[in-house]
Amino acid sequence: MNGSGSRVLVADDNAVDRKLLAKIVGKAGFEVVEAVDGNDAVAKYYSEKPDLVLLDALMPGRDGFSVAREIKAHDVDEFVPIIFLTSLTEAEDLARCVDAGGDDFLSKPYNHVLLRAKLLAMQRMRETNQTMQLQRDEIARHHMQLVADQKVAKAVFDNVAHTRNLETSYIKYLLSPLAMFNGDVLLAAQNPAKSVYVLLGDFTGHGLAAAIGTMPLADVFYSMTAKGFTLSQIIKECNRKLGSVLPPGYFCCATALMLDFNRCTVEVWNGGLPSAYLRKAGSDEIRLLASNHLPLGISPADKFDDSTLVYEVELGDRLFLATDGVIESRNAMGEYFGSDKLESIIRSAPPHDLFDSVQRAVNGYVDEEGREDDLTMVEIAVVTPDQVEAAEIIDDVVALGGPRDWKFCYELGPQSLKDFNPLPLLQQVLMGAPYLRARATAIYAVLAELYSNALEHGVLGLRSEMKSSAEGFSAYYAARAQALECVHGFVRFDFKCELIEDEVDLSISVTDSGGGFDHANYLTRAKNAADAATGYHGRGIRLLWDLCSSVRYVGSGNQIDVAMHWNVNDE
Amino acid sequence: MSKILNEALLEELKMIMEEDFSDLMNTFLEESVRQYNQAKSAWEDDDFASLRLSIHTLKGSCANVGAETLHKTCARLEELATAGLRDEVPELLACAFEQLADVQNRIKTL
């Protein structure tokens, strides 16, 4: 009594057998459809769509084997069980039933108990099969949805972690096409002074979980770079941001660089990535920029170490960075490429061919199937400042209005000088006057130069001659850090700005608490050296001469006044 | 020793068929005669394939109604027809005819 209304097709040319079967099957709770021969069986199969079939093997016209083959071929996904009815007893004949698609057989005389048991068993199997199909279809639907979702996610990801700023004459890069799924990220941006910031990152994990951290990271990186924040400030905020959004156990190994082509310096912060390399242009000398911090997203904000290392660079020097995909590439025997091999290539390749040499070496080493992490690597060459394009000025405020005649004074005392960089804030105030935005880059560069001179030479009393030699360079920055610890004094900015008709007049005066210096002598020497363009010191003043219409030291030299003047209709 | 009609099997059949028992028996009476006649004319036409099929069908019904002796005879006939052996066929067909008559009589007395 538990056929649950499933429909059974009974096909037997013998009326006696057929009637007996119909009775047994009906009593077992099934609905019965009768067929009198092979052709009738096929026709009833299509028209009545039975759930199970009882099929006589030998029938006139079309025999049971042929009917079974057609039924089984009709819908391969659908499982319609076939029980052969036969008084054939030879093993060969029974095997023939199974070959034709029979799932079971029943011999004569029909045992009604056995038949009922077989029908119910077959029905159970049919129901299992149907459940599996529903589940399979549901899985397929889910999969299609996931694929569609991923496409959208990838489009957003590609816009956020875009590589537009990497398309320059001085950058060569390889970003794994699977970056979205293996957690690699490579970002570059120019700041208002046309310094180039680069961030290479490798998030833990795989798939979307790894990639999703890229969004807040890129957001912080781009917006802070555009506003002129220092590398330390940016990396500190990246750490805080990732710490707040990533779950425990997730972090981002990263190396951040700031290249200042005007001052010929590179500033580095490396937390958790393999060593980056600085390859000198003229020799095979290389400097390892090893990881000396925890990756981003681990340390709490107050314990985060944002200290960076600064190196002097020359035209033609190259910086090479890569995620661990390079050194973990494996050959056919499962051996790793390794950092020794990478270092030796970086040392021995000709500088102009550095990036390609590494890429060729890795591709040659790796066996196709051995590729685990796809490669992400970048090389930045030190070039002249004119090669750097200005950052796009995204002006979302209509450039009308703003103050047309204004002035303000901003002074920093010792506590601020120690660990606060006022440049982004001052730049933002100045950009509140829309007509100044066209010169954002120049203004920022001037502010940066004036401030660093006032702080380092004026207040801290550091001599720029110290930077000339190689040891002097790191010694200079060490001395700077030390002096800041016990700084006293002040730096004051005085701004005055007027827009009259279409003429802009911006005056910037910076005063420090230092004793001043022999500025007359300094200016003379700098003017003579202008054509020779040698020596580190002197570069700063030449930058000011380029960008300002006038530059004047006042009093003992602890005050410098510069003016910038232009017509809004210029360029 | 095989029986002309297996009473126990018939009892069970009665239990299964319930009110349709006599209809089933009547169907057997009609069909068995028809199948025997088909077998006979097939033999007369020297058509072994049709002979085999008809005897096979008759054999099947016999099994289901418990006509054991006739079933055995049909089985033997089927073997001969399958193998294409002529000699014993006429004798066996005559045997089958008699046995069928016996079965019919027994059924009619049920």
Side-chain angles (χ1 to χ4, degrees):
Chain A
M1 240 33 118
N2 21 14
S4 60
S6 293
R7 184 175 295 166
V8 178
L9 173 63
V10 177
D12 195 328
D13 63 308
N14 182 330
V16 172
D17 296 349
R18 197 170 63 243
K19 286 190 186 192
L20 177 55
L21 278 173
K23 191 71 178 180
I24 297 175
V25 173
K27 278 177 89 164
F30 294 89
E31 189 195 316
V32 179
V33 173
E34 294 183 37
V36 303
D37 63 33
N39 290 314
D40 191 24
V42 172
K44 293 253 168 63
Y45 171 76
Y46 287 120
S47 66
E48 303 297 319
K49 302 188 202 312
D51 301 296
L52 295 123
V53 177
L54 290 177
L55 196 51
D56 187 13
L58 289 183
M59 289 186 283
R62 197 166 172 182
D63 68 28
F65 303 113
S66 158
V67 172
R69 272 190 288 270
E70 178 156 346
I71 289 176
K72 286 298 185 182
H74 171 241
D75 188 342
V76 287
D77 282 341
E78 190 82 12
F79 173 56
V80 178
I82 295 177
I83 301 177
F84 270 102
L85 308 162
T86 180
S87 40
L88 299 169
T89 49
E90 295 297 326
E92 272 173 31
D93 298 316
L94 297 175
R96 206 178 149 201
C97 291
V98 175
D99 282 343
D103 299 292
D104 202 349
F105 35 79
L106 186 73
S107 40
K108 304 184 199 197
Y110 299 140
N111 180 321
H112 66 282
V113 173
L114 194 55
L115 176 56
R116 185 166 169 277
K118 286 178 188 250
L119 283 170
L120 292 175
M122 287 289 142
Q123 191 197 6
R124 263 201 307 276
M125 279 172 54
R126 178 169 156 79
E127 281 163 14
T128 301
N129 178 274
Q130 283 173 325
T131 305
M132 261 178 47
Q133 287 203 24
L134 286 173
Q135 287 175 346
R136 181 203 63 183
D137 290 343
E138 193 171 328
I139 290 174
R141 268 195 307 273
H142 272 270
H143 177 79
M144 271 176 49
Q145 184 62 50
L146 278 177
V147 168
D149 285 349
Q150 271 190 3
K151 271 181 84 168
V152 173
K154 184 147 190 0
V156 174
F157 181 88
D158 287 343
N159 277 327
V160 169
H162 66 84
T163 53
R164 289 195 292 273
N165 295 341
L166 292 163
E167 300 295 332
T168 67
S169 57
Y170 48 91
I171 295 180
K172 288 184 192 158
Y173 71 100
L174 201 60
L175 178 60
S176 159
L178 297 180
M180 183 175 161
F181 304 103
N182 65 12
D184 284 357
V185 58
L186 181 56
L187 307 170
Q190 302 90 331
N191 83 348
K194 297 217 274 181
S195 293
V196 174
Y197 287 63
V198 174
L199 179 69
L200 175 68
D202 182 358
F203 281 86
T204 33
H206 288 277
L208 287 173
I212 204 100
T214 303
M215 312 262 207
L217 181 69
D219 197 34
V220 167
F221 177 79
Y222 287 132
S223 61
M224 288 183 79
T225 302
K227 292 199 175 108
F229 284 92
T230 64
L231 192 69
S232 292
Q233 288 171 317
I234 294 173
I235 207 76
K236 190 178 176 83
E237 178 60 16
C238 286
N239 175 72
R240 192 202 64 78
K241 188 76 182 190
L242 288 181
S244 75
V245 302
L246 293 177
Y250 283 81
F251 49 85
C252 179
C253 297
T255 299
L257 298 180
M258 192 274 280
L259 281 124
D260 184 338
F261 296 125
N262 281 304
R263 295 195 186 144
C264 290
T265 56
V266 61
E267 192 179 351
V268 184
W269 184 99
N270 185 345
L273 279 186
S275 300
Y277 298 91
L278 168 59
R279 165 76 196 270
K280 303 301 291 175
S283 65
D284 64 355
E285 191 193 320
I286 67 174
R287 201 187 268 282
L288 241 67
L289 310 171
S291 161
N292 52 359
H293 295 94
L294 288 175
L296 298 173
I298 295 181
S299 305
D302 56 345
K303 295 213 169 39
F304 180 73
D305 183 0
D306 59 0
S307 60
T308 58
L309 293 168
V310 182
Y311 303 93
E312 196 177 12
V313 292
E314 293 166 313
L315 277 184
D317 287 356
R318 315 257 156 176
L319 284 130
F320 181 86
L321 300 83
T323 58
D324 55 16
V326 173
I327 56 185
E328 287 182 6
S329 291
R330 296 215 279 210
N331 65 5
M333 277 156 330
E335 298 164 329
Y336 287 112
F337 189 81
S339 52
D340 289 342
K341 210 192 273 326
L342 177 61
E343 189 174 316
S344 99
I345 293 172
I346 292 178
R347 197 187 286 278
S348 59
H352 64 273
D353 198 37
L354 184 64
F355 186 84
D356 294 338
S357 301
V358 174
Q359 192 175 6
R360 275 196 301 271
V362 177
N363 286 335
Y365 185 83
V366 151
D367 151 45
E368 261 322 293
E369 286 152 40
R371 177 150 303 215
E372 290 172 72
D373 278 350
D374 275 2
L375 302 185
T376 296
M377 49 194 225
V378 60
E379 177 206 280
I380 308 125
V382 177
V383 295
T384 50
D386 58 293
Q387 298 265 350
V388 181
E389 276 184 32
E392 328 165 7
I393 299 171
I394 297 154
D395 210 330
D396 47 7
V397 178
V398 177
L400 296 172
R404 294 163 66 88
D405 56 353
W406 50 274
K407 55 186 175 186
F408 77 99
C409 161
Y410 189 80
E411 182 170 319
L412 293 168
Q415 291 311 308
S416 306
L417 292 174
K418 204 187 279 200
D419 53 25
F420 175 68
N421 179 348
L423 299 179
L425 176 60
L426 293 173
Q427 177 80 352
Q428 207 156 329
V429 173
L430 292 172
M431 292 303 114
Y435 50 86
L436 294 182
R437 286 181 203 153
R439 297 293 167 103
T441 304
I443 290 170
Y444 189 87
V446 168
L447 285 180
E449 180 63 28
L450 294 176
Y451 180 68
S452 92
N453 287 340
L455 177 62
E456 293 177 12
H457 306 319
V459 175
L460 299 178
L462 300 167
R463 315 287 306 131
S464 54
E465 285 83 356
M466 269 179 82
K467 292 185 207 169
S468 294
S469 64
E471 308 82 31
F473 207 80
S474 35
Y476 179 86
Y477 278 91
R480 183 184 185 278
Q482 212 170 10
L484 268 179
E485 284 301 303
C486 44
V487 63
H488 41 262
F490 67 87
V491 173
R492 188 175 72 240
F493 290 83
D494 286 276
F495 294 94
K496 185 166 186 281
C497 186
E498 277 179 332
L499 172 65
I500 300 177
E501 312 271 303
D502 287 341
E503 302 291 322
V504 180
D505 259 301
L506 173 65
S507 311
I508 306 173
S509 178
V510 179
T511 310
D512 64 72
S513 52
F517 68 110
D518 185 353
H519 50 88
N521 183 20
Y522 172 72
L523 286 177
T524 313
R525 272 173 40 221
K527 281 199 179 95
N528 290 338
D531 300 315
T534 54
Y536 173 86
H537 47 284
R539 241 174 253 175
I541 191 74
R542 279 194 291 280
L543 178 82
L544 293 174
W545 282 334
D546 278 341
L547 298 176
C548 306
S549 45
S550 74
V551 178
R552 201 167 55 90
Y553 284 99
V554 176
S556 63
N558 66 332
Q559 175 181 336
I560 181 170
D561 292 350
V562 304
M564 296 173 79
H565 178 99
W566 70 91
N567 186 301
V568 296
N569 300 316
D570 289 349
E571 100 213 276
Chain B
M1 188 70 185
S2 62
K3 303 180 180 172
I4 294 181
L5 265 188
N6 183 327
E7 280 92 15
L9 197 147
L10 276 175
E11 278 307 307
E12 210 176 295
L13 210 50
K14 225 185 259 186
M15 202 181 61
I16 294 169
M17 293 308 293
E18 296 168 334
E19 70 276 11
D20 296 317
F21 180 73
S22 14
D23 174 65
L24 186 73
M25 288 296 114
N26 286 332
T27 308
F28 176 78
L29 290 174
E30 287 166 26
E31 289 289 302
S32 55
V33 169
R34 196 167 61 79
Q35 280 148 19
Y36 176 81
N37 288 335
Q38 274 181 358
K40 188 116 188 288
S41 31
W43 164 247
E44 278 153 15
D45 291 342
D46 218 35
D47 182 352
F48 275 81
S50 300
L51 171 64
R52 183 192 167 199
L53 211 52
S54 304
I55 291 296
H56 175 83
T57 307
L58 180 57
K59 182 184 87 173
S61 329
C62 289
N64 276 323
V65 305
E68 289 175 2
T69 319
L70 181 53
H71 179 270
K72 274 182 86 167
T73 310
C74 288
R76 182 82 188 111
L77 259 171
E78 191 183 354
E79 277 173 22
L80 296 177
T82 308
L85 299 169
R86 306 187 131 61
D87 295 350
E88 294 174 45
V89 173
E91 193 188 322
L92 279 171
L93 270 176
C95 237
F97 185 76
E98 275 182 35
Q99 285 162 358
L100 181 55
D102 282 341
V103 168
Q104 299 234 343
N105 290 333
R106 287 276 176 108
I107 288 175
K108 283 174 190 160
T109 65
L110 284 173

